[in-house]
Protein backbone atom coordinates (compact mmCIF):
# COMPACT_ATOMS: atom_id res chain seq x y z
CA UNK A 1 0.00 0.00 0.00
CA UNK A 2 1.12 3.52 -0.74
CA UNK A 3 1.19 5.47 2.52
CA UNK A 4 0.49 9.18 2.73
CA UNK A 5 1.14 11.19 5.87
CA UNK A 6 -1.29 14.10 6.22
CA UNK A 7 -0.06 16.72 8.64
CA UNK A 8 -2.60 19.45 9.29
CA UNK A 9 -3.88 20.84 12.59
CA UNK A 10 -7.51 21.08 11.42
CA UNK A 11 -9.39 17.77 11.41
CA UNK A 12 -11.77 18.91 8.65
CA UNK A 13 -8.84 19.67 6.34
CA UNK A 14 -7.16 16.33 7.07
CA UNK A 15 -10.43 14.68 6.09
CA UNK A 16 -10.66 16.79 2.92
CA UNK A 17 -7.15 15.69 1.90
CA UNK A 18 -8.09 12.03 2.47
CA UNK A 19 -11.32 12.37 0.47
CA UNK A 20 -9.53 14.24 -2.32
CA UNK A 21 -6.80 11.63 -2.69
CA UNK A 22 -9.23 8.74 -2.42
CA UNK A 23 -9.34 5.20 -1.13
CA UNK A 24 -6.30 3.87 -2.94
CA UNK A 25 -3.94 4.98 -0.18
CA UNK A 26 -3.23 4.22 3.43
CA UNK A 27 -3.27 7.42 5.50
CA UNK A 28 -1.34 8.45 8.58
CA UNK A 29 -2.27 11.67 10.35
CA UNK A 30 -0.41 14.17 12.47
CA UNK A 31 -1.74 17.36 14.02
CA UNK A 32 1.57 19.17 14.52
CA UNK A 33 5.08 19.28 13.14
CA UNK A 34 6.72 17.32 15.94
CA UNK A 35 4.34 14.38 15.50
CA UNK A 36 4.75 14.59 11.71
CA UNK A 37 8.53 14.32 11.93
CA UNK A 38 8.27 11.35 14.31
CA UNK A 39 5.93 9.58 11.86
CA UNK A 40 8.19 10.28 8.88
CA UNK A 41 11.04 8.68 10.84
CA UNK A 42 9.09 5.67 12.10
CA UNK A 43 6.73 4.93 9.19
CA UNK A 44 8.63 6.19 6.13
CA UNK A 45 5.53 7.37 4.22
CA UNK A 46 5.64 7.48 0.41
CA UNK A 47 4.44 11.09 0.36
CA UNK A 48 3.96 13.74 3.05
CA UNK A 49 1.20 16.35 2.67
CA UNK A 50 2.11 19.07 5.10
CA UNK A 51 0.48 22.30 6.23
CA UNK A 52 3.09 25.07 6.38
CA UNK A 53 1.53 26.95 9.31
CA UNK A 54 1.08 24.81 12.41
CA UNK A 55 1.43 25.36 16.14
CA UNK A 56 4.87 24.60 17.52
CA UNK A 57 7.17 23.19 14.87
CA UNK A 58 6.12 24.66 11.52
CA UNK A 59 5.83 22.79 8.27
CA UNK A 60 8.96 24.56 7.04
CA UNK A 61 10.87 23.25 10.07
CA UNK A 62 9.60 19.74 9.35
CA UNK A 63 10.68 19.92 5.69
CA UNK A 64 14.15 21.16 6.67
CA UNK A 65 14.51 18.41 9.29
CA UNK A 66 13.46 15.72 6.79
CA UNK A 67 15.89 17.05 4.16
CA UNK A 68 18.71 17.10 6.73
CA UNK A 69 18.42 13.38 7.53
CA UNK A 70 20.11 11.34 4.79
CA UNK A 71 17.76 8.35 5.08
CA UNK A 72 14.67 10.60 4.90
CA UNK A 73 15.92 13.28 2.51
CA UNK A 74 14.31 11.76 -0.61
CA UNK A 75 10.81 11.68 0.95
CA UNK A 76 8.45 13.62 -1.36
CA UNK A 77 6.74 16.52 0.42
CA UNK A 78 3.70 18.51 -0.71
CA UNK A 79 3.39 21.77 1.22
CA UNK A 80 -0.10 23.27 1.56
CA UNK A 81 -0.88 26.72 2.89
CA UNK A 82 -3.48 29.45 2.81
CA UNK A 83 -0.53 31.85 2.82
CA UNK A 84 0.40 31.56 -0.85
CA UNK A 85 3.26 34.05 -0.39
CA UNK A 86 5.03 31.23 1.49
CA UNK A 87 5.35 29.15 -1.68
CA UNK A 88 8.90 30.36 -2.36
CA UNK A 89 9.95 29.69 1.22
CA UNK A 90 8.39 26.22 1.22
CA UNK A 91 10.12 25.26 -2.04
CA UNK A 92 13.39 26.73 -0.77
CA UNK A 93 13.07 24.65 2.41
CA UNK A 94 12.79 21.57 0.21
CA UNK A 95 9.11 21.01 -0.60
CA UNK A 96 8.64 19.23 -3.93
CA UNK A 97 5.30 20.84 -4.61
CA UNK A 98 3.17 23.67 -3.18
CA UNK A 99 -0.64 23.84 -3.19
CA UNK A 100 -2.52 26.88 -1.92
CA UNK A 101 -5.52 26.54 0.41
CA UNK A 102 -8.38 26.24 -0.18
CA UNK A 103 -6.89 23.77 -2.63
CA UNK A 104 -8.25 22.62 -5.93
CA UNK A 105 -8.71 18.84 -5.55
CA UNK A 106 -7.20 18.29 -9.01
CA UNK A 107 -4.09 20.27 -8.09
CA UNK A 108 -3.47 18.25 -4.95
CA UNK A 109 -4.10 14.94 -6.72
CA UNK A 110 -1.83 15.89 -9.62
CA UNK A 111 0.92 16.92 -7.24
CA UNK A 112 0.79 13.67 -5.24
CA UNK A 113 0.53 11.48 -8.34
CA UNK A 114 3.49 13.22 -9.98
CA UNK A 115 5.63 12.61 -6.89
CA UNK A 116 4.58 8.94 -6.65
CA UNK A 117 5.56 8.32 -10.28
CA UNK A 118 9.05 9.45 -9.41
CA UNK A 119 9.38 6.95 -6.53
Amino acid sequence: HTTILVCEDEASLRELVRITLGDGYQFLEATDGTAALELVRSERPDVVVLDVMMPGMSGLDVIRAVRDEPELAATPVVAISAWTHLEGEALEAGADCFVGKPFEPDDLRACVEKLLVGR
Side-chain angles (χ1 to χ4, degrees):
H1 251 72
T2 300
T3 304
I4 298 179
L5 169 59
V6 181
C7 185
E8 159 66 64
D9 52 334
E10 289 182 49
S12 59
L13 276 165
R14 289 197 306 277
E15 186 179 359
L16 188 58
V17 170
R18 287 198 316 268
I19 291 167
T20 299
L21 296 176
D23 296 335
Y25 303 108
Q26 186 174 336
F27 291 99
L28 299 166
E29 293 188 12
T31 55
D32 62 53
T34 308
L37 187 54
E38 283 171 14
L39 281 168
V40 173
R41 288 178 176 140
S42 63
E43 303 297 327
R44 304 289 167 95
D46 296 289
V47 175
V48 178
V49 177
L50 185 68
D51 186 18
V52 174
M53 302 297 278
M54 287 183 296
M57 186 178 192
S58 77
L60 296 176
D61 293 335
V62 174
I63 296 167
R64 291 187 192 106
V66 166
R67 296 294 175 241
D68 283 347
E69 294 188 28
E71 66 278 16
L72 303 178
T75 307
V77 177
V78 177
I80 56 174
S81 183
W83 303 95
T84 49
H85 65 277
L86 290 174
E87 178 170 3
E89 248 180 285
L91 296 172
E92 205 173 287
D96 296 286
C97 209
F98 181 91
V99 180
K101 286 198 299 200
F103 55 81
E104 285 293 328
D106 289 346
D107 291 351
L108 182 63
R109 270 195 297 268
C111 218
V112 168
E113 284 163 13
K114 184 180 78 184
L115 294 175
L116 285 171
V117 169
R119 292 239 62 183

